[in-house]
Amino acid sequence: MTEYQGKSAFSGVAIGKIYVFSKGESIIRRTRIEDKEAEKKRFDDAKDLAKEQLNGLYEKAMKEVGETSAAIFEAHRMFLEDPGYLDSVYSMIANEGINAEFAVATTGDNYAEMLAAMDDDYMRARAADVKDVSNRVISILQGVSANGLDSDEPVILLADDLAPSETVQFDKSKILSFVTRHGSMNSHTSILARMMGIPSLITVDYDASTVNGKMGIVDGYKGILIVEPDDDTIAKYQAQKEEDDQKKQLLQSLKGQKNVTLDGHEINVYANIAGPKDIGSVLDNDAGGIGLFRSEFLYLESDTYPTEDEQYEAYKKVVQMMAGKDVIIRTLDIGADKQCDYFNLDKEENPALGFRAIRICLKRPEIFKTQLRAIYRASYFGSVGIMFPMITSVDEVRQIKKIVEEVKAELDSEGIEYGDVDLGIMVETPAAVFESFELAKEVDFFSIGTNDLTQYTLACDRQNPNLTDFADPHSPAVLKAIQMTIENGHKGGAWVGICGELGADTELTETFLRMGVDELSVSPSRVLAVRDAVRKVDLSKYY
């Protein structure tokens, strides 16, 4: 039995087989081959299987996340039909007598280098696609599962880290837990684990060569991965898991109940989502609405700018499925840790303090207007709010409102109907906290983004795992910033919610209620736990 210590990103217990996810980036060695025709056939078989995989991923993505996100798999399949790409591989095998793996790797590198050197932004962005396609074919040739989850049973998934575009490939019902070598509490993998409500560990320095395929236990309470546990350890954790399951069942009894304190004070408990595929979990956990629709995932899961119609369909689907309940859509929060190649953002020394979120929107209004038009069109079908991230001044809000009025005027002139949309801002910078009274006069609501607010208040990079011990979200400075925002927001006429991960921290639920917060928006899996915490609070003792 071997234990690997890490840090917990989401609590709970998982027991099952370990599956090490590889991105297929192993060293490709050049070897001589004798039967060139057989080697060509070996490449053809691998290419055909890769196309089958991509077709399957395309259909899966179409069902789960829509056409925009699925398009990348269609583009990858088309590369495997490109005559120039195929001729290069065949020629190297025939003329140089080398193995198919090396021919594919070399061709992929050459094409990627050629595309990266082009002036056209779209073609430059295709360089990464060629590499991905080549890695897929190489993995098949090597007999390695590189992209996707090749397992008939649910597994504990181990990886260096996972990008949002990679997670779409997984059958979520086959994942018991995420364990990553890198990442942070706010990495995409951690957020996904919390959305799914499964145990998750980060910064686990496991030995991939010795753990793959073995029985494992994830202790999301202590941050431990146990490999090849003995019978007593399995029995102990099985009992813990059964206890956890019983607690979850008890929470189910809270469905349909109000989020009301013992003394009768009611607040809204909403859910955070990344797209339409998360609505099932929102409804299953009885959230009162959507407090944060992370619209940037529509961009992160696409290989080019999502069109107005593509965004409109995604927003409309969520609004319709929520059937009149509030849906608050955050405009794109690209930049910092969330990069899209096709945005062609310059490399920055301090990206968290750089060109990101609303700054991109104000500097590239054509992108901003496309998104706003899509949101306003979707607002016709339900109750929609828009909130803008990374706000630091009243002037920014006034610029935004001017652009909003231009978009509404365009829609009016085209005879396109839309609903009444509330406008709000994310309060996640100290500047917004200090200006909160003045900002509240300009908008309908605030939503406090505690992830970034903690980062900027404590000067701790939220993506740096070495700073976890310093980035204390319970810091008095962070809590004072939250309280100041709530008080000033109310004075200025805005309601105030919390949509950062701190909103799901039930140790602070009573504190937030005492501060006067109006809404808490959390991962769907945490809605009922927060409701339970709210219903145990008695604020009358503070009157």
Side-chain angles (χ1 to χ4, degrees), residues 57-243:
L57 290 171
Y58 176 81
E59 295 299 328
K60 175 177 167 58
M62 280 285 287
K63 293 176 183 176
E64 292 187 358
V65 293
E67 186 175 355
T68 300
S69 299
I72 186 171
F73 301 118
E74 175 68 9
H76 284 194
R77 188 187 62 78
M78 290 173 64
F79 271 122
L80 289 176
E81 298 175 350
D82 180 76
Y85 181 90
L86 298 178
D87 287 346
S88 175
V89 175
Y90 292 137
S91 176
M92 291 183 72
I93 293 173
N95 298 333
E96 301 178 39
I98 59 173
N99 55 316
E101 291 92 333
F102 194 83
V104 172
T106 302
T107 297
D109 288 344
N110 290 342
Y111 263 67
E113 185 177 339
M114 175 187 70
L115 291 168
M118 290 186 173
D119 293 331
D120 185 86
D121 292 342
Y122 177 83
M123 296 306 295
R124 281 204 305 270
R126 301 288 68 73
D129 291 334
V130 175
K131 294 280 284 184
D132 283 349
V133 170
S134 296
N135 285 338
R136 179 178 293 277
V137 175
I138 290 167
S139 296
I140 294 171
L141 288 165
Q142 294 180 325
V144 176
S145 174
N147 293 308
L149 188 53
D150 237 352
S151 177
D152 294 328
E153 60 183 308
V155 296
I156 295 170
L157 187 87
L158 273 61
D160 280 351
D161 204 357
L162 295 168
S165 56
E166 290 169 332
T167 62
V168 73
Q169 303 176 49
F170 300 138
D171 180 350
K172 306 302 188 294
S173 67
K174 296 284 184 67
I175 299 175
L176 300 172
S177 171
F178 284 120
V179 177
T180 61
R181 195 187 303 276
H182 305 297
S184 70
M185 289 295 292
N186 292 304
S187 67
H188 298 305
T189 310
S190 298
I191 291 173
L192 178 64
R194 290 192 285 271
M195 293 286 291
M196 294 170 63
I198 61 174
S200 174
L201 307 182
I202 57 174
T203 66
V204 178
D205 191 17
Y206 60 86
D207 184 346
S209 64
T210 62
V211 304
N212 193 35
K214 294 182 177 178
M215 174 62 69
I217 295 176
V218 171
D219 182 338
Y221 299 101
K222 297 179 180 178
I224 298 172
L225 169 66
I226 304 172
V227 181
E228 293 190 306
D230 55 37
D231 290 343
D232 289 343
T233 302
I234 292 176
K236 182 184 77 171
Y237 277 102
Q238 189 63 51
Q240 175 69 66
K241 189 174 184 306
E242 289 173 3
E243 183 181 334

Side-chain angles (χ1 to χ4, degrees), residues 194-389:
R194 290 192 285 271
M195 293 286 291
M196 294 170 63
I198 61 174
S200 174
L201 307 182
I202 57 174
T203 66
V204 178
D205 191 17
Y206 60 86
D207 184 346
S209 64
T210 62
V211 304
N212 193 35
K214 294 182 177 178
M215 174 62 69
I217 295 176
V218 171
D219 182 338
Y221 299 101
K222 297 179 180 178
I224 298 172
L225 169 66
I226 304 172
V227 181
E228 293 190 306
D230 55 37
D231 290 343
D232 289 343
T233 302
I234 292 176
K236 182 184 77 171
Y237 277 102
Q238 189 63 51
Q240 175 69 66
K241 189 174 184 306
E242 289 173 3
E243 183 181 334
D244 288 350
D245 290 342
Q246 288 174 3
K247 289 179 180 178
K248 289 179 182 177
Q249 286 299 316
L250 287 174
L251 288 177
Q252 295 299 306
S253 66
L254 291 175
K255 287 185 178 180
Q257 302 296 313
K258 292 184 177 180
N259 309 300
V260 60
T261 62
L262 292 171
D263 58 306
H265 181 77
E266 188 171 357
I267 72 164
N268 290 318
V269 179
Y270 288 175
N272 301 335
I273 67 168
K277 63 184 181 298
D278 298 324
I279 293 299
S281 183
V282 172
L283 298 175
D284 185 53
N285 287 282
D286 197 31
I290 304 296
L292 170 61
F293 183 152
R294 296 183 172 98
S295 70
E296 61 270 14
F297 278 80
L298 298 177
Y299 295 78
L300 290 166
E301 294 174 353
S302 175
D303 60 347
T304 189
Y305 295 105
T307 66
E308 178 182 326
D309 283 343
E310 288 168 341
Q311 293 188 63
Y312 162 69
E313 291 297 335
Y315 303 142
K316 183 179 77 168
K317 184 175 182 179
V318 170
V319 172
Q320 288 178 324
M321 291 177 73
M322 290 307 293
K325 294 180 179 179
D326 291 342
V327 176
I328 298 175
I329 302 170
R330 178 173 70 187
T331 56
L332 67 93
D333 191 10
I334 294 297
D337 62 310
K338 290 173 280 192
Q339 296 287 334
C340 286
D341 290 342
Y342 57 87
F343 271 73
N344 295 310
L345 301 178
D346 294 333
K347 182 176 175 57
E348 298 177 303
E349 291 298 323
N350 295 297
L353 305 179
F355 191 49
R356 59 172 294 197
I358 200 62
R359 297 168 181 176
I360 294 175
C361 291
L362 292 177
K363 287 291 186 179
R364 301 183 182 180
E366 69 284 355
I367 298 174
F368 194 28
K369 283 188 172 183
T370 297
Q371 182 171 35
L372 290 174
R373 282 179 59 95
I375 296 173
Y376 265 92
R377 287 170 59 192
S379 71
Y380 177 75
F381 299 93
S383 177
V384 173
I386 306 176
M387 63 180 176
F388 307 99

Side-chain angles (χ1 to χ4, degrees), residues 484-502:
M484 182 186 298
T485 301
I486 294 172
E487 291 175 354
N488 285 341
H490 289 164
K491 289 178 184 176
W495 64 262
V496 184
I498 295 175
C499 67
E501 295 297 329
L502 209 56

